[in-house]
Amino acid sequence: MAQARQPHDLLAASSVRPSPHWPDAAKALYGPARMSAQRALIAEEVMAFPGAFTAEDLHRTVGRRAEGVGLATVYRALAAMQEAGAIASVGERDGSALLARCGRDDHHHHLVCTTCGTVVGVECPLDHAALAAATREGHLVTSHEITLYGVCAVCRDQKDAG
Amino acid sequence: MAQARQPHDLLAASSVRPSPHWPDAAKALYGPARMSAQRALIAEEVMAFPGAFTAEDLHRTVGRRAEGVGLATVYRALAAMQEAGAIASVGERDGSALLARCGRDDHHHHLVCTTCGTVVGVECPLDHAALAAATREGHLVTSHEITLYGVCAVCRDQKDAG
DNA sequence: TGATAAGTGAGAAGCGTTCTCACTTTCTGT
DNA sequence: ACAGAAAGTGAGAACGCTTCTCACTTATCA
């Protein structure tokens, strides 16, 4: 029992070739960090998510394709992706951090769909005139955190249709 | 030993009379919830804080005036105040929730001073025209979370002076 | 004043996240 | 192609914040 730990099982589960030939799409998520079969698989699952997810969510979906991928490994992979700017923290749900794939590197924020969990990037909706009011009172605003919640276009359509 | 638990010690520490005569200012923070010597003391310390604080911060300052006030009591008091709308969660610091006294009941947000921790209420700086862009793409924005970070007027003055 | 519902303190428990350790794997330089 | 260094891995322990539990005390209202 517990024959476990056979990386080739993982490789078989993903559409991946051995050693230095990791899929570019997966590799891109990690920036300069080193790759592994586990990370390739995790990257695929991250890209498969339509919207925001928690570490636990991801660990579960990865677990469906390969057993024995540790939760710590998922956390480490997520940290690497965040470092590389491939994913972003977009809030929290029930005490767990909500993450989402995010290719944009311009200044923007996220709209989290409360129906399906999808995350949409949106322009910064700050009114600089309104911000000036704070400046007028003597304060200096250097940064901000914004998360929008609502219903995404797809869910609105379904609601209208159904 | 452990004579402990003598509410009158707590009463002596705060400027508070027995039983039904709690200071209105303190009582107001809890809304309809029941009062106690501990809660009166906690309320005083909350009002004494110039800005944002963590549960731990509060427990420490309360501990300076009266021993034996449990951490759980502080958390319960904070929950009651939040329920009553007297304080608000304004972000987090090192994994702990940041809370701040907040009398306003209109729609507004908070500017957290990164120098001194003071929290200032500010008008909602959302640009409704910019928000309309999201609507144009089919999304419906129902709510939002905004926290501004920067330097408050007092700290700016000190910086200019010093 | 007495009944009862709520608050309290101490510590256990819960939960998400990070760390540790021994081991495996990738990657770089030759 | 290969050896060695550096980084990743899995399992579970540890951690920090927060909540819960339990027996007891206290405020509040009839």
Side-chain angles (χ1 to χ4, degrees):
Chain A
M1 358 11 264
Q3 78 296 17
R5 230 98 33 74
Q6 269 166 264
H8 290 301
D9 296 353
L10 290 169
L11 294 175
S14 72
S15 53
V16 147
R17 318 272 156 283
S19 229
H21 298 103
W22 308 105
D24 287 346
K27 218 176 161 188
L29 297 191
Y30 295 99
R34 195 174 286 191
M35 281 304 285
S36 71
Q38 290 88 336
R39 291 196 167 189
L41 188 47
I42 290 169
E44 288 184 5
E45 289 303 320
V46 164
M47 291 186 284
F49 262 105
F53 55 88
T54 65
E56 174 85 34
D57 291 339
L58 182 56
H59 185 234
R60 197 179 316 115
T61 63
V62 166
R64 282 199 206 105
R65 286 185 53 191
E67 291 192 359
V69 176
L71 183 55
T73 297
V74 170
Y75 273 103
R76 280 182 294 234
L78 287 171
M81 290 187 209
Q82 234 170 324
E83 181 99 0
I87 63 174
S89 173
V90 298
E92 71 156 61
R93 185 172 57 204
D94 303 331
S96 308
L98 266 187
L99 304 164
R101 174 135 178 55
C102 181
R104 295 176 67 158
D105 51 0
D106 60 329
H107 179 79
H108 68 286
H109 301 280
H110 298 103
L111 166 63
V112 181
C113 178
T114 51
T115 301
C116 69
T118 293
V119 171
V120 188
V122 294
E123 302 274 302
C124 178
L126 269 192
D127 180 357
H128 294 274
L131 221 48
T135 308
R136 222 174 297 121
E137 291 172 26
H139 313 306
L140 174 66
V141 178
T142 55
S143 65
H144 56 265
E145 290 171 0
I146 301 180
T147 301
L148 305 177
Y149 294 91
V151 187
C152 73
V154 176
C155 287
R156 283 189 80 183
D157 282 350
Q158 289 181 353
K159 198 175 162 191
D160 288 350
Chain B
M1 4 13 260
Q3 80 294 19
R5 228 101 29 75
Q6 270 167 264
H8 291 304
D9 295 355
L10 290 170
L11 293 175
S14 71
S15 54
V16 147
R17 318 274 155 280
S19 229
H21 299 101
W22 308 104
D24 288 345
K27 217 175 161 187
L29 297 190
Y30 294 99
R34 196 174 285 192
M35 281 304 285
S36 71
Q38 290 90 335
R39 291 196 166 188
L41 188 46
I42 289 168
E44 286 184 6
E45 290 303 320
V46 164
M47 291 187 283
F49 263 104
F53 55 87
T54 65
E56 174 84 35
D57 291 339
L58 182 57
H59 185 233
R60 197 180 316 114
T61 64
V62 166
R64 281 199 207 106
R65 287 184 55 190
E67 291 190 359
V69 175
L71 183 55
T73 298
V74 171
Y75 273 103
R76 280 182 295 234
L78 287 171
M81 289 188 209
Q82 235 170 322
E83 181 99 1
I87 63 175
S89 174
V90 297
E92 71 155 59
R93 185 172 57 204
D94 303 331
S96 307
L98 266 186
L99 304 164
R101 174 136 178 55
C102 181
R104 295 176 69 157
D105 51 359
D106 60 329
H107 179 77
H108 68 287
H109 301 280
H110 298 102
L111 165 63
V112 181
C113 178
T114 51
T115 301
C116 70
T118 293
V119 171
V120 187
V122 296
E123 301 275 302
C124 178
L126 269 192
D127 181 356
H128 294 274
L131 220 49
T135 307
R136 222 173 298 123
E137 291 171 27
H139 313 306
L140 175 66
V141 177
T142 55
S143 66
H144 56 264
E145 290 171 1
I146 300 181
T147 302
L148 304 176
Y149 294 92
V151 187
C152 73
V154 175
C155 287
R156 283 189 81 182
D157 283 349
Q158 289 181 353
K159 199 175 165 192
D160 289 348

